[in-house]
């Protein structure tokens, strides 16, 4: 799942984000969402989030929805 739609991201989700300083290289960092910072329902470059460790970036990919890296919606 990509990270361009706000309704697919919740606090506690495990995501890959692209930090501002990594935009050129495309390097991703994995973490658990603490806060959703983008107010609009969609963003073409990814929804901006704050991870539990304090890093801020745009969601490149949603890994899991329960904070463990697995999707529990089945």
């Amino acid at each position: 799942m990509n990270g361009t739609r706000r309704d697919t991201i919740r606090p506690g989700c495990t995501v890959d984000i692209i930090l501002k300083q990594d935009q050129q290289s495309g390097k991703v960092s994995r973490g658990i969402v603490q806060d959703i910072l983008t107010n609009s329902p969609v963003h073409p470059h990814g929804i901006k989030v704050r991870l539990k460790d304090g890093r801020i970036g745009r969601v490149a990919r949603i890994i899991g929805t329960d904070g463990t890296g697995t999707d529990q919606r089945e």
Side-chain angles (χ1 to χ4, degrees):
M1 237 185 305
N2 69 23
T4 59
R5 292 185 46 202
R6 192 177 194 276
D7 63 355
T8 60
I9 301 166
R10 298 273 182 263
C13 288
T14 301
V15 296
D16 284 342
I17 65 167
I18 299 177
L19 302 170
K20 182 78 170 178
Q21 63 265 27
D22 295 331
Q23 285 178 343
Q24 293 290 341
S25 68
K27 178 185 169 214
V28 296
S29 303
R30 186 164 292 181
I32 298 173
V33 175
Q34 177 177 318
D35 300 307
I36 300 172
L37 304 176
T38 299
N39 289 323
S40 63
V42 294
H43 193 285
H45 301 295
I47 300 298
K48 190 177 279 190
V49 298
R50 177 181 295 115
L51 301 181
K52 288 196 178 218
D53 63 9
R55 294 179 292 174
I56 295 174
R58 295 199 180 271
V59 177
R61 186 168 163 229
I62 300 168
I63 304 303
T65 58
D66 67 348
T68 64
T70 58
D71 191 338
Q72 295 295 316
R73 290 181 292 176
E74 289 119 31

